[in-house]
């Protein structure tokens, strides 16, 4: 419990820091609004006549799906933690930080959580306002769906942060991990964010379900637009498994990187 207090302090300090820059966060609303407006017109053209379904989604469900996934994408950006980890390792500051009375990776994860805890709710309010005004309510969406999807969103954002940290820790061995970050981001963006898994050929869907795509964006958005308790249980189980695997991998990579520093004399 005493150990967790250290990370709680880091979380609160970052949270208070971000509260002072709400105006800067709100500037990102413009990009979100433009993107959603473009996709609303795109899906409106593709659906054509009322009552049409694409991959099992109505037009309203598809637009809400994109709204939720883009809310997660904009509200939980990881650029700050990625840059910090890469800079600390490449600049040598990691040799100083790894001797602090906390685990470096958990410190970074606490900072990341403090950042998205301000940004994500702001984008969620924007998404709800735009959705209700421009699309309408989601049929069947109630309190159980709200609570379940909120839990899934939090887990998805955390999983994404953990895997982004894992990729950044590769800087212990390679000069620049940004190409791998780019590949990971584009995979999440194209497959799980802009388009649901059902859009893609049936032969590749099982593969997507075995990747972070299923747990980061697709799962939470699917629960919003088409909530079923059975699917919630499946998504929640996969998220807990991925979170456990991700944290274990994060500790493993960091431990190997620290040993490499010791062997090479820091």
């Amino acid at each position: 419990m005493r150990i967790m207090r250290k990370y709680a302090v880091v979380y609160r300090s970052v949270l208070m820091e971000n509260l002072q820059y709400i105006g800067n966060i709100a500037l990102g609303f413009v990009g979100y609004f433009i993107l959603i407006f473009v996709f609303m017109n795109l899906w409106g053209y593709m659906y054509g006549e009322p009552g049409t379904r694409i991959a099992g989604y109505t037009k309203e469900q598809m637009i809400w799906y994109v709204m939720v996934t883009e809310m997660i994408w904009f509200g939980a950006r990881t650029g700050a933690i990625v840059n910090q980890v890469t800079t600390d390792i490449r600049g040598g500051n990691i040799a100083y930080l790894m001797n602090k009375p906390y685990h470096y990776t958990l410190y970074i994860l606490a900072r990341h959580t403090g950042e998205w805890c301000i940004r994500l709710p702001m984008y969620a309010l924007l998404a709800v306002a735009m959705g209700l005004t421009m699309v309408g309510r989601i049929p069947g969406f109630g309190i159980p769906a709200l609570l379940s999807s909120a839990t899934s969103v939090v887990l998805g954002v955390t999983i994404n942060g953990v895997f982004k940290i894992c990729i950044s820790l590769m800087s212990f061995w390679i000069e620049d991990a940004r190409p791998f970050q780019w590949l990971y981001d584009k995979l999440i963006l194209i497959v799980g964010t802009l388009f649901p898994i059902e859009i893609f050929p049936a032969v590749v869907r099982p593969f997507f379900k075995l990747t972070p795509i299923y747990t980061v964006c697709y799962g939470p958005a699917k629960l919003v637009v088409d909530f079923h308790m059975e699917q919630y249980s499946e998504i929640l189980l996969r998220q807990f498994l991925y979170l456990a695997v991700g944290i274990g991998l994060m500790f493993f990579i960091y431990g190997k990187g620290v040993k490499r520093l010791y062997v090479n004399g820091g």
Side-chain angles (χ1 to χ4, degrees), residues 117-191:
C117 274
I118 295 295
R119 191 183 300 114
L120 187 60
M122 292 177 63
Y123 276 96
L125 290 174
L126 176 62
V128 170
M130 289 181 61
L132 294 177
T133 302
M134 306 170 73
V135 183
R137 295 184 60 183
I138 304 173
F141 186 81
I143 298 299
L146 175 62
L147 297 177
S148 301
S149 56
T151 303
S152 185
V153 167
V154 171
L155 286 172
V157 169
T158 305
I159 292 169
N160 187 53
V162 168
F163 277 94
K164 294 285 283 185
I165 292 173
C166 289
I167 297 174
S168 296
L169 291 174
M170 293 172 63
S171 296
F172 277 116
W173 293 273
I174 60 178
E175 182 67 21
D176 190 359
R178 282 179 295 183
F180 297 98
Q181 297 283 6
W182 185 87
L183 289 173
Y184 173 85
D185 286 341
K186 295 303 174 284
L187 185 64
I188 294 289
L189 179 64
I190 295 174
V191 179

Side-chain angles (χ1 to χ4, degrees), residues 64-75:
W64 269 107
Y65 177 91
V66 176
M67 281 186 167
V68 174
T69 55
E70 289 299 332
M71 172 199 80
I72 297 173
W73 184 263
F74 276 83

Side-chain angles (χ1 to χ4, degrees), residues 207-228:
F207 168 75
F208 290 150
K209 288 187 176 183
L210 296 175
T211 66
I213 294 169
Y214 192 78
T215 59
V216 173
C217 288
Y218 169 82
K222 182 68 173 180
L223 292 175
V224 172
V225 302
D226 188 21
F227 177 76
H228 295 288

Side-chain angles (χ1 to χ4, degrees), residues 12-23 25 114 118:
R12 286 196 298 269
S13 65
V14 175
L15 192 71
M16 297 302 296
E17 179 182 336
N18 278 270
L19 282 173
Q20 302 177 23
Y21 299 100
I22 288 181
I25 297 174
I118 295 295

